[in-house]
Amino acid sequence: MADIWNDNPPPDSSEFPKPPAPLSSTTPQGAERALVARGIPFGSGLGKYRILDRIRNSHHAIIYNARDAMLDRLVVIKQLNPGLLDDPLACGDFKREAQLLARVPKDARNVVGIHELIADDQGLFIVEEFVSGDWLESLISKRKVGPADALRLLKYGCLGLRSLHSRKIVHRDIVPSNLLMSPNGQVRIANFSCAVHEGDHTPPPVIQFKYAAPELQMGMPHDDRVDIYGLGVSVYEVCVGRRALHAHFAHITRDPLGAAERWRQWHCDMSAALPKASALNRAVPPALAVILAKMTAKDIDERYATAEEVLQDIIRKFNAPRANASPTVGRTALSHVVESRSELPGTANQAKTGGPPSLLHLLPTQATTTTHRISLESAPEPAAKQVAPVIRHAKSAPAAAANRTSTESTAQSRRGVVIDRTEKLTQRPAVGASTSASAAPATRSTPIATERASIRSHKTGPVKRRVSEPQQIPIPAPTEDPPKRKRPILIPVAATIMLLIAGYMGSRAWWNELAHRPALSSLQSRIEDGLRLYHQEQYEQAGAEFLEVIVAASSDPELASAKDQAETMQLLVEGEVAFRNDQLDRVERMLDEARLRGSDLPAFASLSNKLKAKRRAIRLASEGIKAAESGDFEEAEDRLPAYEASASVAGLDPASLREAVQREREDRDYGEALQRARKALAENDFDAAQLACREAILIRQTDATRQLAKDIADGRTRYSWMVRGDKAMQERDYSAAESAYQSANAIDPSEQVEAKLKMASSMRLYNEARDAIKSGDLLEAKKKLDNALWKYPNKQARAKLIALSKAFDAAALVANADQELKMGNIAEAIRLYEKAIPDLVAPADDIAKSKLQAAKRQALIQADKN
């Protein structure tokens, strides 16, 4: 796998995120980035694996080439980026990637296999299968693939998708950089980092906007059809070439930095579509262009429903023999057809896995009465030995017919090939025919018509021919009488031989009918079983019965009637299955094919009527829902009777449109009630809001209505607290106002409530500062005034701080004097008291004077002691 993993990322850098600016390794981010860049050193061990080299990086992992020392084989090891080990979501996604990959069976040859998941001290690792080859991205860039490889690539890619989708795995990143092409032409799907279980609509970690489906890029619910879209775009690029594709989308690619967004806008534009691949590259077969157009349909309902349908369409369009092909089919061509069909459900290979039987024709028939029996055990002999000369002289006709009958019977019994003489004459030029015979169509028309009539009447055995070449009649001389004509002697002999041949043919036809009667009876019994299953609507089992009849009858021309009947019924079964799966276009094709075959079964007419009714019902439902969505419910209800009548014929639910219209009406009323309730709540009209909320709950009780009811109750309580706070502010009861605003803000914080709360707190602190000044505690007053200004720009608090600034400084001196007095520095205390007293205000000055007197008395006592 070294040569594949060593390829660089796709050159279109607009589809990948730009690398971040380089960081210094001294910063924490730079150290982490350096750790990510280093990864595991080359040559180091990981259990039994030896790391050989690092070969690729992805958005979340580092990929190494390694060798399994125990089994002596190459493997690929995928390490979770060390910088993501602390991210539980990244670790969970990495383990889920390994678990999804492990669900794919080992025999899925078109998906890269997994060996094990390792979790140790070095991190998380996925050990994958080693595959030699190249990325499809690299091959497209180097122009090493083209239309000749597209069909094989599409076939193997669909086989890989079928393996994934059958296990409900959606890859979501089918792009050329995730498709591996091995040297033998096989294609492998790799990199499951974006894969999820079907039904999981979480957005993928990365989206390559050039290839992703519209529903994936718009974040809408999606399913496995996003993989069909991605494979279709990838094969489309292979067909037309990257240069031609970018030239067509020059308005996108001319801006490399904005190409990702431009690709996203183009894919999300439902009116835009890729041009036919055959229009950009004439080497692309028109049938392949039609398949790619359906795979890349932006409307998900117009896209192929499954990868199985793509495979069936490929077989139908590329493996079926042409109408003008020779009836003699070689071993190689037929083996290719059967091998391709054996990969679909219902064939011998698929029967082992228990898959549903496929309803495709194993051997497509032509609009003729010709019957072929082709043996797969031995190849037919060259055409020169199979086709005998057609035009012979009349004299040698009986002997030649008898000789040819014996020779052909021996050769056909040896080769197992029975070929209709009519098709030999009409589709393949006769070997050994003379130039004059090939240039005279009038001469050839008689034996062809004769032989066709003989085949219709006898089916088998030698064919009687009467062919005579034009003879030159001599012109008699004018002077001589013409010679008398003698009666030919060979006429009685020829008549006798012809009578013997006719008797032989009659006896042989009787013997063939007697010999084939048991086989025909057995096939008729199986056809009756298939019809019984068909009437019980067990279409898959019925299709399997008819398919067995077709295969059994293909080896014997005498069973052509049973084969035609089984093919007709199988066509009807395919139509019913397609009708049940809403594949209406396919039903139309089945009906067209039935008309070409000339089938007039009443079941086909019934299916045609159901198809017309279903299409009409779908149209009426679409128009009715569209009218209901626009609010025109009267117009929607006008379509209800016609829809119910068509739906009953088509087997649909007649009440579905009425229910849809009713849901749309309820949705409209529900939305309008919620809107009214929210508007009234914003205007503090709680009674009106509660009434509208009750109307919405009567229509539909949801989380939104429950939350709205809670919001209305909380809003009413919050509004009540706000009213209390405003009243307390008017009454100058700032403590009560602060408490009310705090209760309102706890229910639903808002800037308005916060502002009122801060104002109430500031005014409360200002009042407390005034009380402290009155009590003489100037330092406490200054502290509260500072807090009041911090809460709210209170002008009164600011003015008080400016007016009493000297008093506050003097109060600080008094506090220092108190400290000096405690430490025994009586003289310093007296000095500070005397300095502070002139700037103090009442009653703080009186308190300071009393402290000064006490200090002086203490000084006199100390002097007396000394």
Side-chain angles (χ1 to χ4, degrees), residues 437-457:
S438 62
T443 306
R444 296 179 59 184
S445 62
T446 301
I448 291 174
T450 304
E451 191 165 3
R452 285 182 175 173
S454 175
I455 291 171
R456 285 194 297 268
S457 59

Side-chain angles (χ1 to χ4, degrees), residues 354-376:
S358 172
L359 300 181
L360 290 173
H361 298 297
L362 184 62
L363 295 174
T365 57
Q366 306 171 14
T368 64
T369 58
T370 305
T371 303
H372 309 286
R373 184 176 68 190
I374 302 176
S375 174
L376 294 179

Side-chain angles (χ1 to χ4, degrees), residues 1 9 140 285 356 437 439 491 498 500 514 622 706 786:
M1 207 163 185
I140 295 175
I491 290 179
M498 292 177 66
L500 291 175
L514 184 63
S622 176
R706 286 189 286 270
D786 288 336

Side-chain angles (χ1 to χ4, degrees), residues 533-687:
L533 293 170
Y534 169 79
H535 290 303
Q536 295 175 358
E537 298 185 355
Q538 300 179 15
Y539 299 126
E540 288 78 6
Q541 294 86 338
E545 292 290 337
F546 296 137
L547 185 61
E548 292 293 336
V549 173
I550 293 172
V551 174
S554 298
S555 60
D556 197 334
E558 296 297 330
L559 306 177
S561 60
K563 178 184 176 183
D564 291 342
Q565 186 178 359
E567 287 175 345
T568 302
M569 290 307 302
Q570 189 190 38
L571 202 63
L572 182 60
V573 166
E574 289 186 15
E576 291 287 356
V577 172
F579 182 83
R580 175 182 289 181
N581 295 332
D582 293 331
Q583 300 171 358
L584 304 186
D585 292 339
R586 188 177 179 189
V587 177
E588 186 68 32
R589 291 196 298 271
M590 297 298 103
L591 292 174
D592 291 341
E593 188 172 348
R595 296 187 192 99
L596 292 176
R597 295 173 63 90
S599 176
D600 56 351
L601 290 178
F604 281 106
S606 175
L607 180 60
S608 178
N609 293 335
K610 290 195 297 183
L611 176 63
K612 293 177 182 178
K614 193 167 189 176
R615 282 182 168 168
R616 186 165 182 263
I618 292 173
R619 177 180 58 80
L620 291 171
S622 176
E623 293 175 353
I625 293 175
K626 185 175 180 181
E629 289 176 349
S630 63
D632 192 354
F633 293 100
E634 294 182 358
E635 182 179 353
E637 290 174 351
D638 290 342
R639 287 173 169 76
L640 290 177
Y643 170 80
E644 291 172 352
S646 300
S648 299
V649 176
L652 300 175
D653 183 8
S656 59
L657 180 57
R658 187 178 299 277
E659 294 173 355
V661 173
Q662 182 64 24
R663 283 195 301 270
E664 289 293 336
R665 189 190 296 275
E666 291 178 356
D667 289 343
R668 183 197 63 176
D669 297 340
Y670 173 78
E672 291 178 352
L674 288 180
Q675 187 175 3
R676 290 197 308 273
R678 292 192 179 101
K679 183 178 179 182
L681 179 61
E683 297 173 352
N684 294 326
D685 188 356
F686 302 106
D687 293 335

Side-chain angles (χ1 to χ4, degrees), residues 40-86:
I40 301 179
F42 305 155
S44 61
L46 179 66
K48 65 176 182 178
Y49 302 104
R50 180 70 58 183
I51 302 299
L52 301 180
D53 57 353
R54 185 173 65 189
I55 48 183
R56 198 181 186 194
N57 288 343
S58 66
H59 67 279
H60 74 304
I62 307 172
I63 303 169
Y64 304 92
N65 202 359
R67 177 173 293 279
D68 185 344
M70 298 292 292
L71 300 179
D72 191 21
R73 63 178 179 181
L74 291 175
V75 296
V76 171
I77 296 180
K78 192 173 188 179
Q79 177 192 15
L80 178 64
N81 196 315
L84 300 175
L85 285 175
D86 295 332

